[in-house]
Amino acid sequence: MLEVRDVALKEFVDSHHKSFDDDLAALRRANEEEGVPLILAETEEILSLLLSLTSPERILEIGTAHGYSALFFAKKLPAAHITTIDRNPGMIDFAKAEFAARKEGERIDFRVGDAMEILDELVSTLSGADESQKFDFVFIDAAKSHYREFFEAAEKICTKDALIVCDNILLKGWIVEAEGKAAKRHRTSIKYMKQFIEYLRRRDDIEASILTGGDGLAIIRFINE
Ligand SMILES: C[S@@+](CC[C@H](N)C(=O)[O-])C[C@H]1O[C@@H](n2cnc3c(N)ncnc32)[C@H](O)[C@@H]1O
């Protein structure tokens, strides 16, 4: 559904992407060659800027895959602690191996299981906790039909100044137009993602920016009066 011009622009942006280091460049290449899901180069650029501006100390990620984005967070912010969640048996051992192979992996707490169950555990541990123990940056990049649940759990364990970033908000453009097989196959995700965007718009206690960068991002902060 992307126009030729959009593809050319995307390729241009990707070709100018500067990896954080050679290790991440090689990991990106390997993930892309193996068809492992990972953040797009443009998404990484936007995240990189947000991380530089906010310098979070405790990051929560929902959706680890082989660990690329978690390692990016850990490398970019050498003092940060990252908690990342995935339930997919096809991903878990690979992610564990990538974390074990690098010193940054020592700052990554990999929680294996369904995100909602793990989020519920984190909510019980952290909801009454001091701000200094809560997450100050959240990256939601997992089951596309569950963003609202992920968001509502995450906000209970965030600091008041936290940023919550949701990836794939535009679902490869299917959010506005899906045809044939894509329309059928992804109809549930499309329906729930549209509802999630409307939900963000209705909430007057948050500021939510919906961007077309990468595969579409929602960047959310809480309005603290
Ligand atoms: C797009 S990938 C994550 C990519 C990763 N953030 C990166 O950029 O390297 C999404 C991951 O979310 C996981 N996932 C989806 N739904 C989940 C759920 N309900 N609980 C835990 N993990 C989930 C999938 O197994 C998959 O590995």
Side-chain angles (χ1 to χ4, degrees):
M1 101 146 260
L2 283 180
E3 303 291 334
V4 173
R5 181 173 166 276
D6 296 335
V7 173
L9 283 174
K10 215 178 130 25
E11 282 171 4
F12 177 80
V13 170
D14 284 355
S15 69
H16 286 78
H17 172 64
K18 198 172 156 201
S19 285
F20 183 83
D21 62 13
D22 292 346
D23 177 43
L24 274 186
L27 188 58
R28 171 175 287 286
R29 253 193 324 274
N31 278 200
E32 286 171 353
E33 281 166 17
E34 290 161 29
V36 175
L38 81 163
I39 47 170
L40 295 171
E42 193 182 347
T43 306
E44 182 176 326
E45 304 263 337
I46 297 170
L47 286 170
S48 183
L49 180 65
L50 293 173
L51 296 173
S52 294
L53 292 172
T54 56
S55 302
E57 292 171 6
R58 290 164 310 282
I59 298 179
L60 172 64
E61 173 180 70
I62 307 169
T64 316
H66 283 198
Y68 178 87
S69 49
L71 283 164
F72 167 68
F73 297 145
K75 282 175 184 264
K76 170 91 190 165
L77 299 164
H81 185 271
I82 292 95
T83 299
T84 183
I85 306 171
D86 209 294
R87 66 169 175 198
N88 185 339
M91 302 288 180
I92 293 163
D93 288 346
F94 288 98
K96 280 185 178 165
E98 300 294 2
F99 298 151
R102 294 165 176 84
K103 66 176 185 335
E104 292 85 5
E106 290 168 14
R107 288 181 287 110
I108 298 175
D109 175 8
F110 184 27
R111 306 276 181 110
V112 173
D114 182 74
M116 271 323 298
E117 284 172 22
I118 291 171
L119 285 167
D120 283 347
E121 286 165 23
L122 287 167
V123 169
S124 345
T125 329
L126 288 176
S127 52
D130 187 80
E131 284 272 290
S132 66
Q133 291 173 272
K134 294 187 175 178
F135 296 101
D136 46 6
F137 195 97
V138 179
F139 184 52
I140 300 180
D141 188 19
K144 310 306 167 199
S145 307
H146 295 279
Y147 273 27
R148 179 165 173 176
E149 291 110 288
F150 295 155
F151 177 82
E152 288 183 339
E155 70 175 325
K156 294 185 182 133
I157 48 179
C158 274
T159 64
K160 63 182 180 34
D161 295 320
L163 270 193
I164 301 184
V165 180
C166 306
D167 198 7
N168 309 109
I169 281 287
L170 301 179
L171 296 171
K172 300 188 175 154
W174 298 323
I175 197 96
V176 288
E177 185 186 351
E179 290 170 358
K181 277 190 191 156
K184 212 167 161 193
R185 188 153 166 240
H186 300 284
R187 64 176 180 275
T188 310
S189 302
I190 295 167
K191 181 176 116 191
Y192 282 109
M193 198 60 96
K194 278 186 180 161
Q195 288 177 358
F196 178 59
I197 293 172
E198 283 157 19
Y199 162 79
L200 292 177
R201 284 278 170 254
R202 279 198 310 275
R203 291 246 332 227
D204 53 14
D205 58 337
I206 59 174
E207 182 178 0
S209 303
I210 311 288
L211 308 182
T212 57
D215 187 27
L217 289 172
I219 304 175
I220 302 142
R221 72 169 196 95
F222 303 104
I223 298 170
N224 301 303
E225 299 292 335

